[in-house]
Each structure stands twice: as structure tokens, then as C-alpha cells.
Amino acid sequence: MYQPPVKDFLFVLDAQLNAAQLAKSTYYADFSSELAEAVLNEAGRFATGVLEPLNRPGDQQGARWTPDGVKTVDGAVAAYRQFVADGWVQLGVPQSAGGQGAPVVLAIAAEEIWFGANMAFMLCPMLSFAAVEALLLAGSPELKKRFLPKMVTGEWTGTMNLTEPQAGSDLAAIRTRAVPDGDHYRLFGQKIFITYGDHDMADNIIHMVLARVEGAPPGVRGISLFVVPRTMPETGASNDVRCVSIEHKLGIHASPTCVLAFGDQQGAIGYLIGEENRGLEYMFIMMNAARLSVGVQGTGLSERAFQQALAWSRTRVQGKLIIEHPDVRRMLLAMKSSTQAQRVLGLYAALQNDIAKTLPAGEARAAAVARAELLTPIVKGFCTEQANVVTSLAVQVHGGMGFIEESGVAQTMRDARITAIYEGTTGIQSNDLIGRKLLRDKGAAMRALIAALMADLGAAANDPPAVAAAAAAARASLQSLQQTVDGLFKIATASVPAAYAVAVPLLMQCGFTLGGALLIQGAQIAARRLATGDADAAFLRAKIETANFYSTHWLPQAAALATTVHSGSASVTTAELI
Ligand SMILES: Cc1cc2nc3c(=O)[nH]c(=O)nc-3n(C[C@H](O)[C@H](O)[C@H](O)COP(=O)(O)OP(=O)(O)OC[C@H]3O[C@@H](n4cnc5c(N)ncnc54)[C@H](O)[C@@H]3O)c2cc1C
């Protein structure tokens, strides 16, 4: 039974990141530590009371296609109604758009809890939020008036329609056509893999669709973004968009993954968002938020997997309780420490978005935006790849039972698999990291981040020896990362494909180093609190021990990856694959 790790969230938000600093700005004047605690406790109650009980039955039953539309799993409609009634849809939506305006860092923390309890359910609200963001960002006042209010309350849900059979990672290949027709367009084409593209949980579904206006330039510069409602809001008439089938998948069975046909008859009515041919640009801004959320899915499932494995190890006896076997302890600590490193990395990245919003336009704000953008592919790629490792370890801790569906842990592993694929595969995140983030600003944002973390880890004079050793390891790892990034520029100058050949190892090195540095910085804070006689000594000691484990078991991976980045390109680019 999944338990929300609220205590760890509050430690990271309050003691480590000082998220309450946001309240100094008028933008987040209502925010406080107490508010964060209340919200996370309530989010946790929703997770354990409503979402968790549906997780396994939903996996077993799965969403179903019918000629009258997709039917979600038993209980999902009621759970969604409750989610809406409790006002959760509005949590992260700005107050100016009728939302509660919670900082991204708090909304992301709540999301991790809900993903941990039931990832398949939560994909629907997550995508709705992304659709709301797209409208807020680039929609005309008229479009906002027509669609936003009911999307913000959750009465209507939203989707993201990018993928087509020939256009997955390569969105330049999109073929869906948009033909101007008076004040709107008519869309013709097929989208695949559309999450919650059809369902019975809400009155209407508002699709955000990438398509090409006839005569637009080829490639990514000719793609536009459209709002296509399933049902026309004013008349209640059905639009010409139809769910043709849903996929049979490895995991997230309760989440319908739809093939959508647009324009089988007269063309699906769509309204242009922003300007023609700028669709991908808008989509990217919205995808950055979604990518952070998908990274956090990895963390939520890692936490779930750890809890499942811990519970099992406390009841299974082989000679003695298996939790007493050193290798099982190692696996549990690997899961726990990875999860906590993922969490602090994700929350740190989310906070940069909030800090940017509180600053006036200028250098400091630009630096916060750059740091958020730099960290987004790292959070997405690293946390989801680690989630695959951590959920697999949970199966290992269960032994043979882990391979058996009744244990529940097999589902966690299956559900986690997709996180490293959708919203841009790990390869695509790594290309983004190198191309758009590191090469474009010549490493400026990364240099500033490394320097900031080095400074945070600096004042370690009175730390206990184990913490001081971990901090020294983290500093060395940060220095090594700086060298790797500098070296990458040399590789890229000589040959761009050579740099892309080691993009994923570089992203993973970033993840281990940055996540490790933040986790170890948390241990320093915990040690200081412990020294002042903080009441929660057991929690603080565990925080320190977890970071110590990370510094000796996970952090060394960064050094190995540095070697690969430094000297691994040629073996990729020159080898014959026969
Ligand atoms: C369950 C599920 C839900 C989804 N939900 C949605 C949704 O709601 N909306 C939506 O629009 N899409 C959705 N998708 C689609 C998803 O985003 C794509 O599957 C994903 O982007 C990968 O595209 P692809 O499947 O075509 O793989 P491909 O692009 O064919 O990739 C195959 C392999 O090639 C690699 N590759 C491709 N190009 C490059 C490159 N330039 N550099 C390095 N490596 C590369 C990839 O990393 C991957 O390993 C969903 C998919 C699934 C399975």
C-alpha cells in the first residue's frame, strides 16, 4: 500500500530549498511552508483513499474501446469527479486563469504522489494541464474565453496530438493537413498513441493538434497548432474526430492510448492557436512542463517500487528475514537513495521555474529560466531511466514472486517502462541537452549551476566524517562534470555526430552528479539539524545514511560515464553493425 513520502518532501522544500522564499514576491504571496504541508497531506489522502485502490484493478481490467466511445476502468469516472470536485485540477493553474496559482514546485510534488499511487489515472489531468498551458501561452482572448474555463475546472479534459505513424521523434514528418475555412480550419489526418484521446470521464475533450496548413513550408517550420474539440461547445454537435482503436500495451493499461482519425467526413473543425507555422515553438514550451512531469512519474514509481520491496523484505524469510541479508539491504538502499536523489533534482528544477516568475525581467531572471531549461531534459531522461532500474530492483528483491503479477510489483515495472519513451525518448532528451542547452549558450548555464552547487557544498568544516567524505565526493564529481562538458565542446567542434554518440552517457553523468550533489547537500543540512538536537533524529540520521550510500554506490557511476563521454564516441560512430 503506497504511502506518500510527505516528510521527505517537506524536508526538501523547507530545510533544503527554502521554497518559502517564494512568498516574498507578490506572485506567490499566498505560499507558505504550512500551505505546502496542508496541500501535500491532502494530496496524499486523495492518493491513498481514491487512487491507490484503483491502481491494480485498473491494470487488470484496462480501458476498453466500444463503438460508442472508450470506456475507462471501473471507478475511474467517480475518481475523476472527485479530483475535479476537490479542485485539484486548478492547483498549478495561474490565478489569472481561474486557478489556485500554486508554485510549480508544489504542483510537481503533489503530482509525484499521485503518480506513485496511480500513474495511469494521473496521465489524464497531466495532459489537460499541458493543454491549458498551451492555450494560456498562445491562445487568442476569444479561444481562451471559449475553452479555458471548463478546462480549468476539469469539466473538460485536454490532450496533446503530436505523433503520427511516420512522425514520432521526427515531428518534421507530420502530415495532418489543415485547410482554411472561414474563421476556422478543417483538419484531415491520423494521430496515433494519443493518451486519453477518448474516454468517458468528462463532458468534452479538447485536443491540441499539430498539423500543416496547406502550402506551409516543409519541415518543422511549417507546423501549426490547433484546438480541436471533440464536441462543439455551443451546439453540442460531434466534431469530425473519432477514436478508431486503442492500443494493447505493456503497462498503464487503465490509460487509453488512442488512434484518432481527423476528418473522415467533412473535416474536423479546428481553431489556430497563435500564428501559423509557429506550432512547434508553442508545443515545445508546453512540452517542457510536461517533460518535468514525466520525469516526476519516474520518481513516483520509484518510490512506489521501494515501498513495495521494503514491505516484502520485512515479511519474507529465507534463513532469516531477507531484509537482513546484506545484498537485499544494498538493493533497498539503492532504490531509496536513487528515489530521493531523483526527487530533490526534480524539485530543484521545478523551483527554478518559480524563481524565474518572481524576478523582474533581467539577467537574474534569464539565468533562472536557463537553469530550468537546462535541467528539464536531465530530469526527464535521468529520472525515467533510473525508474526502470529501480522498479526492476524491486522485482529482484521479491525474487520469483516479483515476476508474478499478484505481487503488484510487476505492474510497477511495466508501468515505468513507457516513461523513458514518451514525451521524447532518452535519446531525444540527450540531443536536446547537448544541442539546445549546452552548445547553444557555450555551457554558461551549466557552469553557473556547477558553481552554485559547489558553493552550497562548500561550508562543510564541522560535518561528521562520513558526510564530509560524501560532500568531497560530490564536489569532485561536479568538477569532473565541468571537465566532461568542456571536453564535449572539443568533441563537437571536431564532429557533431561524435558528440551525439555520447549524449546519453553525458545526460546520465549529469543526473548522477547533480542529483547526488543535491542529495548530499541535504545530508549536510540534516547533520547540522541533528547537531542542534532536532526532534526528528531518526529521520535525519536516515537522510544522512541514504546520502552516504549514494556517494559510494551511485555517484561513482558518474566517473565511469565521464570516461565513456571522453573516449566512447569513435567506437559508436565507426563500428559496423552486422
Ligand atoms: C503509451 C504511449 C502514450 C503516448 N502518448 C502520446 C500522446 O499523448 N501524444 C502524442 O503525441 N504522442 C504520444 N505518444 C507517442 C510518443 O511520444 C512516441 O512514441 C515517442 O515520441 C517516440 O516516437 P516513436 O514511437 O515514433 O519512436 P521513434 O521515433 O521511431 O524512435 C525509435 C528509436 O530511435 C531513436 N531515435 C529516433 N530519432 C532519433 C534522433 N534524432 N536521435 C537519437 N535517437 C533517435 C529513439 O530514441 C528510439 O530509441 C505515446 C506513446 C505511447 C507508447
Side-chain angles (χ1 to χ4, degrees):
M1 174 78 178
Y2 170 81
Q3 289 301 325
V6 174
K7 217 176 199 182
D8 196 47
F9 278 117
L10 296 178
F11 176 84
V12 173
L13 291 177
D14 288 339
Q16 188 167 3
L17 301 182
N18 185 23
Q21 64 180 303
L22 295 172
K24 285 194 204 128
S25 91
T26 48
Y27 199 89
Y28 289 127
D30 300 341
F31 183 68
S32 65
S33 302
E34 294 72 32
L35 180 81
E37 184 170 359
V39 166
L40 292 178
N41 279 326
E42 274 310 309
R45 262 189 281 282
F46 188 82
T48 51
V50 180
L51 296 182
E52 164 73 26
L54 294 181
N55 190 54
R56 189 161 146 66
D59 178 62
Q60 289 170 312
Q61 187 185 20
R64 283 153 298 142
W65 184 90
T66 77
D68 305 321
V70 172
K71 305 281 176 235
T72 50
V73 297
D74 294 346
V77 171
Y80 184 72
R81 281 207 189 113
Q82 174 99 47
F83 192 78
V84 170
D86 290 355
W88 288 121
V89 180
Q90 288 105 303
L91 183 64
V93 178
Q95 286 177 350
S96 56
Q100 293 166 18
V104 181
V105 75
L106 180 58
I108 279 284
E111 274 189 9
E112 189 209 297
I113 292 174
W114 295 323
F115 285 132
N118 192 329
M119 170 170 152
F121 174 90
M122 269 315 291
L123 288 172
C124 185
M126 185 203 108
L127 285 157
S128 294
F129 185 63
V132 165
E133 291 238 301
L135 269 172
L136 277 175
L137 174 81
S140 65
E142 201 257 324
L143 279 184
K144 284 184 192 164
K145 208 167 122 209
R146 269 180 91 188
F147 293 105
L148 264 183
K150 291 200 171 172
M151 292 174 79
V152 170
T153 57
E155 286 163 89
W156 298 348
T157 65
T159 68
M160 281 169 74
N161 281 249
L162 290 72
T163 309
E164 299 178 9
Q166 77 295 346
S169 299
D170 180 17
L171 294 171
I174 281 178
R175 282 193 204 134
T176 296
R177 287 184 304 127
V179 182
D181 183 17
D183 70 343
H184 57 264
Y185 293 73
R186 291 205 177 255
L187 272 72
F188 301 87
Q190 192 191 62
K191 295 285 176 182
I192 62 164
F193 295 160
I194 305 308
T195 300
Y196 283 93
D198 194 36
H199 62 82
D200 54 1
M201 302 196 310
D203 295 341
N204 203 354
I205 302 174
I206 311 302
H207 303 294
M208 300 288 142
V209 185
L210 287 182
R212 265 176 211 293
V213 178
E214 287 206 320
V220 288
R221 289 203 180 79
I223 295 173
S224 305
L225 181 60
F226 296 88
V227 188
V228 181
R230 180 180 69 177
T231 307
M232 302 313 291
E234 289 77 19
T235 61
S238 294
N239 201 356
D240 187 7
V241 46
R242 207 161 53 85
C243 173
V244 185
S245 63
I246 64 172
E247 307 294 347
H248 304 283
K249 308 190 294 290
L250 179 68
I252 51 167
H253 292 157
S255 164
T257 304
C258 302
V259 178
L260 293 183
F262 291 84
D264 273 354
Q265 290 147 23
Q266 69 282 22
I269 294 176
Y271 305 94
L272 181 70
I273 298 189
E275 295 170 29
E276 275 185 14
N277 301 332
R278 290 184 62 190
L280 213 56
E281 187 188 317
Y282 305 141
M283 204 56 136
F284 257 108
I285 294 176
M286 148 180 159
M287 272 195 308
N288 271 336
R291 285 178 170 179
L292 210 51
S293 289
V294 175
V296 165
Q297 283 171 22
T299 315
L301 289 175
S302 295
E303 175 69 41
R304 180 181 187 84
F306 167 64
Q307 292 185 17
Q308 287 173 312
L310 184 64
W312 177 260
S313 70
R314 284 183 172 145
T315 54
R316 173 73 174 162
V317 176
Q318 283 299 288
K320 50 192 172 182
L321 279 174
I322 61 167
I323 194 171
E324 290 166 24
H325 290 297
D327 188 55
V328 175
R329 292 177 61 79
R330 178 193 64 78
M331 289 193 279
L332 290 167
L333 282 161
M335 298 169 73
K336 182 180 181 186
S337 65
S338 169
T339 305
Q340 291 191 8
Q342 291 174 43
R343 178 172 299 130
V344 65
L345 184 63
L347 293 178
Y348 181 83
L351 186 66
Q352 306 310 312
N353 289 286
D354 294 321
I355 290 173
K357 286 197 194 114
T358 64
L359 294 170
E363 251 179 57
R365 180 160 150 193
V369 170
R371 188 168 295 177
E373 289 179 348
L374 169 70
L375 286 167
T376 300
I378 299 173
V379 171
K380 160 63 167 94
F382 176 71
C383 296
T384 60
E385 289 291 341
Q386 279 278 279
N388 278 292
V389 175
V390 169
T391 55
S392 178
L393 276 172
V395 170
Q396 194 71 13
V397 169
H398 281 72
M401 264 317 282
F403 203 67
I404 308 302
E405 286 291 347
E406 277 73 7
S407 70
V409 75
Q411 182 197 345
T412 311
M413 182 175 162
R414 288 187 287 99
D415 285 353
R417 192 62 193 89
I418 187 61
T419 59
I421 297 173
Y422 60 18
E423 282 299 328
T425 60
T426 309
I428 295 300
Q429 302 304 322
S430 306
N431 291 355
D432 179 50
L433 174 65
I434 288 194
R436 282 199 204 83
K437 309 294 155 71
L438 291 175
L439 292 176
R440 197 172 279 180
D441 75 354
K442 303 196 173 61
M446 182 59 100
R447 240 186 327 275
L449 173 61
I450 289 175
L453 292 176
M454 288 288 269
D456 286 344
L457 283 162
N462 299 323
D463 286 347
V467 176
R475 282 196 299 274
S477 193
L478 285 165
Q479 265 162 353
S480 159
L481 179 59
Q482 185 61 63
Q483 284 160 8
T484 308
V485 171
D486 293 342
L488 178 87
F489 294 135
K490 289 195 192 113
I491 298 173
T493 310
S495 154
V496 172
Y500 284 108
V502 289
V504 169
L506 175 72
L507 180 143
M508 295 304 287
Q509 187 190 348
C510 290
F512 283 119
T513 301
L514 301 174
L518 286 164
L519 189 67
I520 290 163
Q521 189 217 350
Q524 288 183 317
I525 292 163
R528 278 164 221 159
R529 291 207 154 188
L530 208 52
T532 59
D534 192 303
D536 210 348
F539 172 80
L540 295 172
R541 270 199 309 274
K543 207 66 207 157
I544 294 168
E545 287 156 2
T546 306
N548 287 344
F549 177 93
Y550 199 95
S551 77
T552 48
H553 285 252
W554 283 122
L555 198 58
Q557 306 249 352
L561 289 158
T563 305
T564 304
V565 178
H566 182 256
S567 52
S569 288
S571 61
V572 174
T573 52
T574 59
E576 269 182 75
L577 280 166
I578 48 170

PDB file of all heavy atoms in Angstrom, residues 44-57:
ATOM      1  N   GLY A  44      -2.009  13.562  -0.480  1.00  0.00           N
ATOM      2  CA  GLY A  44      -1.706  12.203  -0.028  1.00  0.00           C
ATOM      3  C   GLY A  44      -2.967  11.441   0.335  1.00  0.00           C
ATOM      4  O   GLY A  44      -3.092  10.243   0.032  1.00  0.00           O
ATOM      5  N   ARG A  45      -3.910  12.131   0.990  1.00  0.00           N
ATOM      6  CA  ARG A  45      -5.180  11.456   1.340  1.00  0.00           C
ATOM      7  C   ARG A  45      -5.930  11.037   0.074  1.00  0.00           C
ATOM      8  O   ARG A  45      -6.497   9.952   0.007  1.00  0.00           O
ATOM      9  CB  ARG A  45      -6.054  12.384   2.193  1.00  0.00           C
ATOM     10  CG  ARG A  45      -5.927  12.086   3.678  1.00  0.00           C
ATOM     11  CD  ARG A  45      -6.954  12.841   4.494  1.00  0.00           C
ATOM     12  NE  ARG A  45      -6.568  14.218   4.700  1.00  0.00           N
ATOM     13  CZ  ARG A  45      -5.668  14.611   5.598  1.00  0.00           C
ATOM     14  NH1 ARG A  45      -5.092  13.735   6.389  1.00  0.00           N
ATOM     15  NH2 ARG A  45      -5.356  15.868   5.723  1.00  0.00           N
ATOM     16  N   PHE A  46      -5.911  11.915  -0.929  1.00  0.00           N
ATOM     17  CA  PHE A  46      -6.568  11.560  -2.190  1.00  0.00           C
ATOM     18  C   PHE A  46      -5.869  10.350  -2.818  1.00  0.00           C
ATOM     19  O   PHE A  46      -6.510   9.428  -3.336  1.00  0.00           O
ATOM     20  CB  PHE A  46      -6.557  12.756  -3.159  1.00  0.00           C
ATOM     21  CG  PHE A  46      -7.373  12.528  -4.394  1.00  0.00           C
ATOM     22  CD1 PHE A  46      -8.746  12.722  -4.379  1.00  0.00           C
ATOM     23  CD2 PHE A  46      -6.783  12.077  -5.556  1.00  0.00           C
ATOM     24  CE1 PHE A  46      -9.512  12.467  -5.513  1.00  0.00           C
ATOM     25  CE2 PHE A  46      -7.538  11.824  -6.695  1.00  0.00           C
ATOM     26  CZ  PHE A  46      -8.909  12.020  -6.671  1.00  0.00           C
ATOM     27  N   ALA A  47      -4.543  10.367  -2.735  1.00  0.00           N
ATOM     28  CA  ALA A  47      -3.764   9.270  -3.337  1.00  0.00           C
ATOM     29  C   ALA A  47      -4.091   7.930  -2.672  1.00  0.00           C
ATOM     30  O   ALA A  47      -4.360   6.937  -3.363  1.00  0.00           O
ATOM     31  CB  ALA A  47      -2.268   9.560  -3.211  1.00  0.00           C
ATOM     32  N   THR A  48      -4.083   7.906  -1.348  1.00  0.00           N
ATOM     33  CA  THR A  48      -4.280   6.618  -0.664  1.00  0.00           C
ATOM     34  C   THR A  48      -5.762   6.225  -0.629  1.00  0.00           C
ATOM     35  O   THR A  48      -6.089   5.050  -0.713  1.00  0.00           O
ATOM     36  CB  THR A  48      -3.729   6.651   0.772  1.00  0.00           C
ATOM     37  OG1 THR A  48      -4.264   7.799   1.434  1.00  0.00           O
ATOM     38  CG2 THR A  48      -2.229   6.731   0.792  1.00  0.00           C
ATOM     39  N   GLY A  49      -6.639   7.228  -0.522  1.00  0.00           N
ATOM     40  CA  GLY A  49      -8.070   6.919  -0.376  1.00  0.00           C
ATOM     41  C   GLY A  49      -8.751   6.613  -1.692  1.00  0.00           C
ATOM     42  O   GLY A  49      -9.646   5.759  -1.760  1.00  0.00           O
ATOM     43  N   VAL A  50      -8.364   7.316  -2.767  1.00  0.00           N
ATOM     44  CA  VAL A  50      -9.104   7.200  -4.033  1.00  0.00           C
ATOM     45  C   VAL A  50      -8.270   6.522  -5.134  1.00  0.00           C
ATOM     46  O   VAL A  50      -8.757   5.617  -5.816  1.00  0.00           O
ATOM     47  CB  VAL A  50      -9.569   8.606  -4.517  1.00  0.00           C
ATOM     48  CG1 VAL A  50     -10.347   8.489  -5.825  1.00  0.00           C
ATOM     49  CG2 VAL A  50     -10.409   9.296  -3.452  1.00  0.00           C
ATOM     50  N   LEU A  51      -7.031   6.963  -5.305  1.00  0.00           N
ATOM     51  CA  LEU A  51      -6.254   6.491  -6.460  1.00  0.00           C
ATOM     52  C   LEU A  51      -5.660   5.104  -6.269  1.00  0.00           C
ATOM     53  O   LEU A  51      -5.723   4.255  -7.162  1.00  0.00           O
ATOM     54  CB  LEU A  51      -5.136   7.492  -6.779  1.00  0.00           C
ATOM     55  CG  LEU A  51      -5.585   8.884  -7.217  1.00  0.00           C
ATOM     56  CD1 LEU A  51      -4.379   9.752  -7.558  1.00  0.00           C
ATOM     57  CD2 LEU A  51      -6.500   8.797  -8.437  1.00  0.00           C
ATOM     58  N   GLU A  52      -5.042   4.901  -5.102  1.00  0.00           N
ATOM     59  CA  GLU A  52      -4.366   3.626  -4.852  1.00  0.00           C
ATOM     60  C   GLU A  52      -5.318   2.420  -5.000  1.00  0.00           C
ATOM     61  O   GLU A  52      -4.964   1.435  -5.662  1.00  0.00           O
ATOM     62  CB  GLU A  52      -3.706   3.671  -3.462  1.00  0.00           C
ATOM     63  CG  GLU A  52      -3.290   2.344  -2.877  1.00  0.00           C
ATOM     64  CD  GLU A  52      -2.053   1.754  -3.547  1.00  0.00           C
ATOM     65  OE1 GLU A  52      -1.258   2.527  -4.094  1.00  0.00           O
ATOM     66  OE2 GLU A  52      -1.927   0.519  -3.516  1.00  0.00           O
ATOM     67  N   PRO A  53      -6.540   2.486  -4.442  1.00  0.00           N
ATOM     68  CA  PRO A  53      -7.424   1.313  -4.570  1.00  0.00           C
ATOM     69  C   PRO A  53      -7.770   0.961  -6.022  1.00  0.00           C
ATOM     70  O   PRO A  53      -8.157  -0.168  -6.307  1.00  0.00           O
ATOM     71  CB  PRO A  53      -8.692   1.726  -3.802  1.00  0.00           C
ATOM     72  CG  PRO A  53      -8.259   2.829  -2.891  1.00  0.00           C
ATOM     73  CD  PRO A  53      -7.133   3.530  -3.585  1.00  0.00           C
ATOM     74  N   LEU A  54      -7.626   1.946  -6.942  1.00  0.00           N
ATOM     75  CA  LEU A  54      -7.973   1.673  -8.348  1.00  0.00           C
ATOM     76  C   LEU A  54      -6.781   1.182  -9.164  1.00  0.00           C
ATOM     77  O   LEU A  54      -6.934   0.773 -10.316  1.00  0.00           O
ATOM     78  CB  LEU A  54      -8.478   2.960  -9.024  1.00  0.00           C
ATOM     79  CG  LEU A  54      -9.788   3.555  -8.537  1.00  0.00           C
ATOM     80  CD1 LEU A  54     -10.111   4.800  -9.352  1.00  0.00           C
ATOM     81  CD2 LEU A  54     -10.901   2.529  -8.686  1.00  0.00           C
ATOM     82  N   ASN A  55      -5.584   1.249  -8.589  1.00  0.00           N
ATOM     83  CA  ASN A  55      -4.384   1.028  -9.393  1.00  0.00           C
ATOM     84  C   ASN A  55      -4.303  -0.383  -9.970  1.00  0.00           C
ATOM     85  O   ASN A  55      -4.165  -0.564 -11.178  1.00  0.00           O
ATOM     86  CB  ASN A  55      -3.135   1.341  -8.566  1.00  0.00           C
ATOM     87  CG  ASN A  55      -1.877   1.364  -9.408  1.00  0.00           C
ATOM     88  OD1 ASN A  55      -1.811   2.078 -10.411  1.00  0.00           O
ATOM     89  ND2 ASN A  55      -0.898   0.576  -9.029  1.00  0.00           N
ATOM     90  N   ARG A  56      -4.412  -1.365  -9.098  1.00  0.00           N
ATOM     91  CA  ARG A  56      -4.272  -2.752  -9.586  1.00  0.00           C
ATOM     92  C   ARG A  56      -5.506  -3.237 -10.349  1.00  0.00           C
ATOM     93  O   ARG A  56      -5.365  -3.792 -11.453  1.00  0.00           O
ATOM     94  CB  ARG A  56      -3.927  -3.670  -8.411  1.00  0.00           C
ATOM     95  CG  ARG A  56      -3.551  -5.043  -8.857  1.00  0.00           C
ATOM     96  CD  ARG A  56      -2.783  -5.795  -7.795  1.00  0.00           C
ATOM     97  NE  ARG A  56      -3.117  -7.208  -7.853  1.00  0.00           N
ATOM     98  CZ  ARG A  56      -2.803  -7.994  -8.875  1.00  0.00           C
ATOM     99  NH1 ARG A  56      -2.162  -7.514  -9.925  1.00  0.00           N
ATOM    100  NH2 ARG A  56      -3.137  -9.266  -8.852  1.00  0.00           N
ATOM    101  N   PRO A  57      -6.724  -2.988  -9.819  1.00  0.00           N
ATOM    102  CA  PRO A  57      -7.895  -3.388 -10.627  1.00  0.00           C
ATOM    103  C   PRO A  57      -7.885  -2.727 -12.002  1.00  0.00           C
ATOM    104  O   PRO A  57      -8.259  -3.350 -12.998  1.00  0.00           O
ATOM    105  CB  PRO A  57      -9.094  -2.893  -9.801  1.00  0.00           C
ATOM    106  CG  PRO A  57      -8.577  -2.719  -8.413  1.00  0.00           C
ATOM    107  CD  PRO A  57      -7.110  -2.435  -8.508  1.00  0.00           C
TER     108      PRO A  57
END
